[in-house]
Amino acid sequence: MTGSEESSSFRLVYVPGVMPDKWVRVWNERHPDVPLALTQVPAGAAAGRLLDGDADAGLVRLPVDRTVLSAIPLYTEQTVVVVPKDHLVTAVDEVSPEDLSDDIVLHPLDDVLDWENLPGRPAFERPATTADAVELVAAGIGVLIVPLSLARLHHRKDLTHRPLKDAPESSVALAWPEDATTDEVEDFIGIVRGRTVNSTRGRRPALPEGNPKGGVRRKPVPGESAAGRSAAAKPTGKGGQSAGRSGRGTPKGGKRGKPRRRS
């Protein structure tokens, strides 16, 4: 990289609920000369920020337009229902959509779940954001269905959540513009996939295993003892034979003579 590239930052956008802390920490350890610039954006705005060139990569919610964005799915979240702590469904470990048939189910405009039929009864008006919907749940207006990470993000002491079965799920992916797969993007892909700094799949090749100066460590033979490995690592004598402590190899002919009996 040139001097100007070294001083530039790697720009990463991420959506609410996604916590990139562990990946940021690894990036900073491996690339102290390339700052990681983080920006949280609404889930619906992430793809636009990437396509407009405002970010190099993003932790987004699927689906995205795969004709213009490359994406690597990372994980799929559990869907939960957020309710007041005294709600009836808190008596069970898992909730079904039928259990919510008498409840008003809030449906914020920034909802990230793809519903065909939202369970429960619709609210008179849709809240603008998930945060607004959480406030309404706390006020006893209704309940809210979200991915687990958003329930944790908007946690309140007077609310709780339960897993909701037979509901849509939200998947998180690493995405970047199809025509802008830079070295930095490749490095970040390696980080989120858990590759080590010396992974042969990264763009920085590792030194051979063992000797940091470039030597190669001999691979152990199955069943071989530590003593055997140590002996195999010693210098060999003339003709490739292992040198003994006195420096002499085996006698000519490859066989040792029998010791003579004393008369």
Side-chain angles (χ1 to χ4, degrees):
M1 289 190 296
T2 65
S4 59
E5 288 175 327
E6 288 179 353
S7 61
S8 64
S9 62
F10 179 62
R11 301 165 301 166
L12 181 74
V13 295
Y14 66 102
V15 298
V18 176
M19 305 299 290
D21 298 5
K22 60 180 180 180
W23 298 319
V24 172
R25 184 177 65 254
V26 176
W27 176 275
N28 290 336
E29 290 172 353
R30 297 184 186 179
H31 301 282
D33 58 331
V34 184
L36 183 56
L38 287 171
T39 305
Q40 181 174 288
V41 298
R49 296 291 290 269
L50 293 172
L51 295 175
D52 290 343
D54 295 330
D56 300 300
L59 296 168
V60 305
R61 292 191 181 274
L62 295 177
V64 295
D65 187 351
R66 294 295 188 97
T67 63
V68 290
L69 291 176
S70 296
I72 298 175
L74 300 178
Y75 57 87
T76 298
E77 290 195 67
Q78 184 181 57
T79 300
V80 301
V81 55
V82 179
V83 298
K85 282 194 170 180
D86 59 356
H87 195 283
L88 290 176
V89 300
T90 58
V92 298
D93 294 329
E94 187 178 56
V95 182
S96 69
E98 292 74 21
D99 295 331
L100 304 176
S101 58
D102 294 331
D103 287 283
I104 292 176
V105 178
L106 301 165
H107 192 199
L109 294 175
D110 64 354
D111 183 26
V112 297
L113 299 173
D114 186 16
W115 289 100
E116 289 187 6
N117 295 294
L118 190 70
R121 298 184 292 132
F124 178 74
E125 186 177 358
R126 293 182 66 179
T129 67
T130 297
D132 293 336
V134 170
E135 294 295 327
L136 294 176
V137 174
I141 303 300
V143 301
L144 174 66
I145 301 172
V146 291
L148 178 58
S149 67
L150 290 180
R152 290 173 172 168
L153 177 65
H154 298 288
H155 171 72
R156 291 175 52 116
K157 292 182 178 180
D158 52 348
L159 301 180
T160 187
H161 58 267
R162 290 291 185 273
L164 180 65
K165 62 182 180 180
D166 301 325
E169 295 176 322
S170 177
S171 295
V172 173
L174 174 65
W176 65 95
E178 178 76 28
D179 57 355
T181 307
T182 63
D183 286 342
E184 287 74 19
V185 169
E186 290 283 5
D187 285 346
F188 198 78
I189 291 171
I191 289 173
V192 300
R193 283 185 162 176
R195 297 177 195 159
T196 64
V197 67
N198 286 331
S199 170
T200 55
R201 297 186 65 184
R203 65 185 180 95
R204 292 179 175 84
L207 289 173
E209 182 185 0
N211 188 348
K213 294 183 179 180
V216 179
R217 180 181 296 169
R218 175 179 174 271
K219 293 184 178 179
V221 176
E224 185 181 40
S225 66
R229 290 196 296 272
S230 176
K234 292 180 180 179
T236 57
K238 186 177 180 180
Q241 296 168 338
S242 178
R245 185 172 296 177
S246 63
R248 291 179 294 181
T250 56
K252 188 175 181 181
K255 297 183 180 180
R256 295 182 181 273
K258 294 183 180 180
R260 296 181 179 179
R261 293 184 180 179
R262 293 183 179 179
S263 56

